[in-house]
Amino acid sequence: MMKTRLPPLGTLRTFHAVAGCLSFKGAAQQLNVSATAVSHQIRLLESELECRVFERSAQGVSLTEEGHLLYAGTQNAFSSLEDAVTKIGLARQPPALTVTTTSNFLTNWLVPRLADFNEQFPHIDVHLHTSVERMNLKQRTVDVAIRYRETAERDLHSTLLYEDRFIVVASPKLALSRPEDLHRVMLLHVQNRHVPADTPDWDNWKKKYGPYNLNTARGLHFSDETHALQAAVAGHGAVIASKLLVDDLVARGVLVAPFELTLPGGNYYLVTLEETANRPEIVALRAWMLNLLQP
């Protein structure tokens, strides 16, 4: 069977533009050519096909039966070409990874370690996002979420990164050594904690460790853990905080953990969609975090 000879690509591109707007003038504007050039390309196409693809009338332009057939073909063809060109362009760009998490985790753990990630994976372009709202990964506006929960999310690919505990920390200037010393310092409170359900606050600390007559109503109240930690660093009082988020401050000596006592916390999970869990850049981030959090 003799192979069908296709019309010149330029005539098909012009036809596709005219068919899309049913206007020679509109197609000429899209293609940045003159209306005369558009007419010439359509005449050449009809000559090649030996049939008319448009009906011209005082009312405008319409597709013939053959024109409808050809337009269905050009829609598929040019859509596939556009997808291919887009993929080629994306393949030449560095892989991008958008990560969402809480501002506390970002500020106190992730940002101080990003230089190491960038050194190990300089080809991955990381975009960081924080929100008090739970991001819906299925909307695909972000690739990965670092979430603080008590249990994994069954409808998503969840990797346990760290099992958290809460500890009391304060400036070394306050010289705390036993729970009874809490009577003489300001208590710093972090409000609106929802995980774990048994909130790690001063009331629960008092019930478990005392002192029995500690006045837990007094002190300063914060809606953000990072701000409470800043107040503790400044020597304003003691705060119950996530061990993970204060480890760096304790290691640097700006805060101390005077008691070997803890309250239960939640878990940090790296969460993504099942279908994207094995993307190379997500695999790299997951392995890097696990290496640091579960050495």
Side-chain angles (χ1 to χ4, degrees):
M1 183 177 176
M2 194 172 182
K3 189 175 180 180
T4 302
R5 179 173 175 272
L6 293 175
L9 182 60
T11 64
L12 293 173
R13 183 69 186 94
T14 303
F15 163 81
H16 186 72
V18 176
C21 62
L22 293 177
S23 167
F24 279 53
K25 183 178 179 181
Q29 291 175 341
Q30 286 182 35
L31 300 172
N32 197 28
V33 298
S34 67
T36 301
V38 169
S39 296
H40 173 74
Q41 289 292 312
I42 297 303
R43 285 197 301 270
L44 179 59
L45 175 64
E46 290 177 331
S47 174
E48 287 278 337
L49 296 176
E50 298 182 349
C51 67
R52 297 180 68 81
V53 292
F54 292 114
E55 294 288 354
R56 291 84 157 172
S57 68
Q59 286 72 40
V61 177
S62 61
L63 286 164
T64 64
E65 183 176 346
E66 292 83 359
H68 279 291
L69 286 172
L70 184 60
Y71 187 43
T74 60
Q75 284 180 303
N76 290 331
F78 283 109
S79 177
S80 296
L81 284 171
E82 288 169 1
D83 286 346
V85 171
T86 298
K87 289 176 181 177
I88 290 171
L90 290 174
R92 297 179 64 185
Q93 295 177 2
L97 192 60
T98 302
V99 181
T100 184
T101 188
T102 64
S103 62
N104 290 327
F105 182 80
L106 182 70
T107 301
N108 296 293
W109 192 90
L110 187 54
V111 166
R113 292 164 175 81
L114 274 180
D116 178 71
F117 183 82
N118 291 333
E119 183 177 347
Q120 292 190 44
F121 307 99
H123 61 288
I124 299 178
D125 187 11
V126 179
H127 300 260
L128 298 172
H129 173 274
T130 64
S131 174
V132 295
E133 302 295 330
R134 181 179 179 275
M135 296 294 294
N136 183 355
L137 295 181
K138 293 179 181 179
Q139 293 180 346
R140 297 181 181 272
T141 54
V142 297
D143 301 303
V144 173
I146 310 300
R147 289 182 176 159
Y148 194 67
R149 297 173 51 83
E150 294 189 80
T151 59
E153 298 174 66
R154 294 183 179 180
D155 60 332
L156 295 168
H157 187 284
S158 296
T159 302
L160 177 62
L161 297 173
Y162 184 83
E163 297 179 36
D164 200 22
R165 301 290 294 183
F166 279 77
I167 60 176
V168 171
V169 291
S171 168
K173 294 184 295 185
L174 298 183
L176 299 180
S177 61
R178 57 197 183 101
E180 286 71 22
D181 291 338
L182 293 170
H183 284 301
R184 60 177 174 80
V185 301
M186 185 80 72
L187 300 183
L188 307 178
H189 303 263
V190 179
Q191 299 174 312
N192 302 318
R193 280 177 175 153
H194 303 294
V195 177
D198 192 13
T199 307
D201 57 16
W202 286 112
D203 286 331
N204 279 322
W205 175 273
K206 176 182 175 180
K207 290 176 187 176
K208 193 164 185 179
Y209 302 119
Y212 76 92
N213 56 347
L214 182 67
N215 180 5
T216 60
R218 63 185 174 83
L220 297 173
H221 296 258
F222 298 85
S223 61
D224 184 273
E225 188 162 357
T226 297
H227 296 157
L229 290 176
Q230 290 174 341
V233 169
H236 297 316
V239 63
I240 298 172
S242 161
K243 183 178 183 303
L244 180 66
L245 301 189
V246 298
D247 272 350
D248 287 350
L249 295 172
V250 172
R252 287 160 44 199
V254 295
L255 289 177
V256 294
F259 319 125
E260 293 185 2
L261 306 167
T262 68
L263 290 175
N267 300 314
Y268 286 94
Y269 291 95
L270 186 147
V271 182
T272 187
L273 297 175
E274 289 287 354
E275 57 264 36
T276 61
N278 291 321
R279 276 175 46 188
E281 56 271 27
I282 294 178
V283 170
L285 177 68
R286 184 188 298 118
W288 175 76
M289 294 189 73
L290 284 172
N291 182 58
L292 291 175
L293 292 168
Q294 298 183 11

